[in-house]
Amino acid sequence: MVFIQSQQQSTNIAKLPRAEGAAHNDWLRQHEDHCLQDTRVELRKQIMDWCDDPNSKCIFWLNGMAGTGKSTISRTIAQELAEKKRLAASFFFTRGKKDISHSRMFFTTIAAQLANSLPVLRISISHAIDNNPDIFKQGLREQWNQLILNPLKNAPTQSIQLVVVIDALDECDSMQDIQLILLLLAEAKDLETVRIKIFLTSRPEIPIFDGFRQLAGEAYQDFILHNIPLDTVNADISTFFRQKLSPLKAKHGLGTPWPDELVIEQLVERAAGLFIYAATTLRFIQDGIDDPEEQLSLVLSATKSSRSATKDLDGIYTTVLQHSVLGKRDYQECEELAGRFTQVVGSIVVMFNTMSARNLAQLLQIPFKMVSRTLNTLRSVLNVPQNESQPVRLFHLSFRDFLQDSQRCSDSRFHIDEKERHVSLFRKCMSHISQLQENICGLWGLGVLTTEIPNDTIQKCIPSYVQYACRYWLDHWRLGNPVEEDIKTIRQFLEQDFLHWLEGLSLIGETLNGVHMLMTLEDILSVSCNAH
């Protein structure tokens, strides 16, 4: 009987939807940076002291501007807590990356991790799922109460204190959800037996400030990362450059000292307190087509942009692009390469989910070699895995911010027009959807459940890039600047490809999203018709 109950609990826990890429140690994050041992020492100690203090406030909010190293600190803290068996769960939001760009799987993912880190909760969580099988489709408040708060309140265990790490909450796509999440998390302050603390990072954006203002003062404490004395930050960045550049000296047989003290000081000054500048500069020096001395010389000779807040970061991004993408080619070839950059990198910047280079080539309907050559020159700003089946990602959102801001991206050849890219991707998506056919998987009879169809069969018949097209064509159309021809394309889709699209959505498990898409489409077309 006990064995059967345990099996049922495991079955129920397995039903919890988990957001891919959410956890600090997910395989998607395996190559992301952690703090060096001798950096951020005082801040890390303050955070760990807060974790250990039974009387400290429930939430520790670390806020800071883009590029100040919040995510690196989060990964380091999560890893240290995991090693001490103190980590309850972790969720790293990332804007524009499917499951981790929104809150729909936030609490179910946290609950699934809690069930693993604190097995005594499995019974209560399993009962909650038995009592309410539709809990996964319900709102954040119901999921929080039934899957997390009530199981923690009723946990039959000795007093214990664990920490949930939440990174980049500002990258969740709904500001209303962000504020609700903060209100719900603050309720953890009243837990007695199993105490849960929340370490949370974000940019200092107004909706998050407003969310914290709604909380009682005893619920949280904050720390403003960019208010750390610049001398302290500079010392850490100096340590970073020394430790990371040192192996290059031995590898390339460079003279000693390299780089010298003056160069280190110049690099630190240009970083202006931004760790993302230091990380991008390092990758550019390491992965460049020239030797490290030449690459370093390019960094130091880069022309600074005119905007003081981001001038040096913008300068290194401009240097990377001009040198890595264009090099010393003639005008006509530069124009061609810049156009390829806009098509490939511009698509990565605005897409709603990550994709491998090979799938991206298929989606854009261009040769894989063209995509591969473009990406391979940009490894200092893009995470381009050696394994072609793994997704290409931006190292940092500041690169996207730079490309989309015509004032910051002073070289117009690299500026990404967001609306233009969305419309282009909409047209590519519709082209792929038009290729769908009835019974595309060749099913053997009526009434076959999608769960009975092997996943490799679905992947073969509806490849990842076609699945992306089915899921996101409407989002690209909505955020673009479509013309009358695009409206005609949608009419043609509704007349000719609609049922094939619905079948495709059903096979890939996106039927519910399809319903939401149709409701959104109806609203948009109603407004469009009224306007005309």
Side-chain angles (χ1 to χ4, degrees):
M1 184 65 178
V2 173
F3 175 76
I4 295 175
Q5 289 177 340
S6 178
Q7 285 291 96
Q8 181 61 39
Q9 290 170 22
S10 297
T11 300
N12 281 342
I13 298 301
K15 293 177 183 177
L16 288 165
R18 294 164 170 83
E20 183 181 4
H24 78 285
N25 58 350
D26 188 273
W27 71 273
L28 287 173
R29 303 183 181 279
Q30 60 185 313
H31 300 301
E32 293 181 346
D33 291 332
H34 290 69
C35 295
L36 296 176
Q37 183 176 357
D38 298 326
T39 62
R40 301 294 201 185
V41 174
E42 288 301 318
L43 175 58
R44 286 158 55 191
K45 181 180 184 303
Q46 182 175 340
I47 296 168
M48 295 307 293
D49 286 346
W50 164 81
C51 293
D52 296 334
D53 183 357
N55 298 315
S56 61
K57 295 181 180 180
C58 175
I59 299 175
F60 188 113
W61 176 31
L62 180 69
N63 80 79
M65 298 183 299
T68 50
K70 299 182 296 298
S71 293
T72 302
I73 295 169
S74 293
R75 284 189 292 273
T76 304
I77 293 298
Q79 184 62 37
E80 290 183 16
L81 289 168
E83 291 171 356
K84 295 179 178 181
K85 309 296 184 185
R86 298 281 308 284
L87 182 68
S90 59
F91 197 105
F92 281 59
F93 282 99
T94 306
R95 187 173 297 150
K97 298 299 179 282
K98 200 178 178 180
D99 297 345
I100 51 178
S101 67
H102 56 73
S103 64
R104 285 191 288 279
M105 297 185 191
F106 177 67
F107 283 130
T108 56
T109 300
I110 296 293
Q113 293 183 41
L114 274 172
N116 289 327
S117 59
L118 199 60
V120 72
L121 298 180
R122 295 173 69 86
I123 298 174
S124 297
I125 296 174
S126 178
H127 283 165
I129 297 171
D130 280 334
N131 295 334
N132 188 358
D134 290 331
I135 186 63
F136 311 138
K137 301 177 183 178
Q138 294 174 356
L140 292 173
R141 186 176 296 278
E142 288 76 15
Q143 291 183 4
W144 162 255
N145 284 332
Q146 297 183 40
L147 295 175
I148 298 176
L149 188 62
N150 290 338
L152 287 170
K153 284 181 177 178
N154 301 322
T157 185
Q158 69 275 18
S159 180
I160 189 172
Q161 187 165 274
L162 299 175
V163 181
V164 174
V165 175
I166 302 169
D167 183 64
L169 181 60
D170 57 292
E171 293 181 29
C172 177
D173 62 11
S174 168
M175 291 304 167
Q176 288 181 314
D177 286 355
I178 287 174
Q179 294 185 352
L180 178 56
I181 286 171
L182 289 174
L183 284 172
L184 296 175
L185 291 174
E187 295 177 1
K189 73 180 188 305
D190 298 322
L191 292 170
E192 296 179 357
T193 307
V194 179
R195 289 203 65 200
I196 293 292
K197 292 184 173 183
I198 297 93
F199 176 74
L200 184 153
T201 74
S202 77
R203 296 190 192 189
E205 297 185 354
I206 291 176
I208 296 186
F209 272 114
D210 290 342
F212 274 107
R213 284 196 195 102
Q214 298 177 47
L215 305 184
E218 66 271 14
Y220 76 97
Q221 68 183 69
D222 62 356
F223 186 97
I224 302 174
L225 190 55
H226 48 269
N227 280 356
I228 294 177
L230 187 58
D231 287 347
T232 302
V233 178
N234 284 347
D236 287 343
I237 293 177
S238 178
T239 299
F240 174 86
F241 277 125
R242 292 174 196 280
Q243 291 193 20
K244 293 293 188 178
L245 290 175
S246 181
L248 291 179
K249 179 168 60 178
K251 179 179 178 181
H252 294 272
L254 302 175
T256 300
W258 184 90
D260 60 31
E261 289 300 315
L262 179 59
V263 169
I264 292 290
E265 289 177 10
Q266 288 178 299
L267 291 174
V268 171
E269 180 184 359
R270 285 172 177 250
L274 296 180
F275 277 85
I276 186 58
Y277 175 94
T280 305
T281 298
L282 175 71
R283 288 191 293 266
F284 181 66
I285 294 171
Q286 285 177 325
D287 301 327
I289 56 178
D290 295 325
D291 66 69
E293 288 182 306
E294 288 291 329
Q295 297 290 99
L296 179 56
S297 177
L298 283 167
V299 171
L300 296 176
S301 63
T303 301
K304 298 183 179 181
S305 68
S306 59
R307 288 178 61 170
S308 59
T310 57
K311 63 179 180 180
D312 295 298
L313 183 59
D314 296 348
I316 187 62
Y317 282 150
T318 301
T319 299
V320 168
L321 296 178
Q322 290 177 341
H323 182 71
S324 300
V325 177
L326 305 181
K328 299 178 181 179
R329 298 174 175 88
D330 60 36
Y331 174 81
Q332 184 174 351
E333 194 173 2
C334 283
E335 290 298 304
E336 180 182 339
L337 292 171
R340 185 187 301 174
F341 171 88
T342 299
Q343 187 176 22
V344 175
V345 180
S347 297
I348 293 172
V349 163
V350 304
M351 285 174 65
F352 297 101
N353 198 11
T354 52
M355 188 174 289
S356 70
R358 196 167 290 279
N359 278 321
L360 180 63
Q362 296 276 17
L363 178 68
L364 299 179
Q365 298 172 318
I366 58 179
F368 171 68
K369 284 185 179 180
M370 183 182 294
V371 173
S372 181
R373 287 171 182 166
T374 302
L375 297 178
N376 284 336
T377 63
L378 292 168
R379 292 180 180 273
S380 53
V381 289
L382 297 176
N383 186 343
V384 185
Q386 294 294 333
N387 185 338
E388 293 176 359
S389 67
Q390 294 182 3
V392 178
R393 296 182 295 123
L394 304 180
F395 274 117
H396 199 269
L397 281 179
S398 61
F399 183 55
R400 180 170 75 175
D401 296 341
F402 164 78
L403 291 175
Q404 292 180 337
D405 188 334
S406 60
Q407 298 299 312
R408 292 180 59 188
C409 186
S410 57
D411 190 332
S412 60
R413 293 172 296 183
F414 300 112
H415 173 241
I416 302 300
D417 185 317
E418 186 176 0
K419 288 184 176 294
E420 184 180 287
R421 283 296 91 212
H422 278 302
V423 168
S424 177
L425 283 168
F426 158 74
R427 293 168 185 166
K428 296 296 184 184
C429 288
M430 299 311 287
S431 174
H432 289 297
I433 290 173
S434 68
Q435 303 302 312
L436 294 173
Q437 301 174 6
E438 182 179 353
N439 193 19
I440 194 169
C441 287
L443 303 182
W444 49 91
L446 297 175
V448 177
L449 299 175
T450 55
T451 54
E452 298 174 346
I453 307 170
N455 186 60
D456 57 350
T457 298
I458 295 175
Q459 288 292 333
K460 180 180 179 181
C461 299
I462 312 177
S464 296
Y465 60 92
V466 180
Q467 294 185 27
Y468 181 93
C470 289
R471 176 64 186 86
Y472 294 111
W473 66 266
L474 181 60
D475 291 313
H476 286 302
W477 181 65
R478 179 174 56 84
L479 294 174
N481 191 17
V483 296
E484 181 60 30
E485 284 300 312
D486 297 315
I487 304 292
K488 291 180 181 179
T489 299
I490 290 181
R491 290 175 184 150
Q492 182 178 342
F493 156 75
L494 292 172
E495 292 170 359
Q496 299 179 11
D497 306 311
F498 179 69
L499 293 179
H500 300 157
W501 172 68
L502 285 182
E503 179 185 341
L505 285 179
S506 175
L507 289 167
I508 65 176
E510 293 283 358
T511 305
L512 182 59
N513 281 324
V515 173
H516 293 152
M517 290 170 70
L518 289 176
M519 294 169 64
T520 302
L521 179 61
E522 181 180 21
D523 291 341
I524 294 173
L525 292 179
S526 296
V527 172
S528 177
C529 289
N530 290 336
H532 292 83

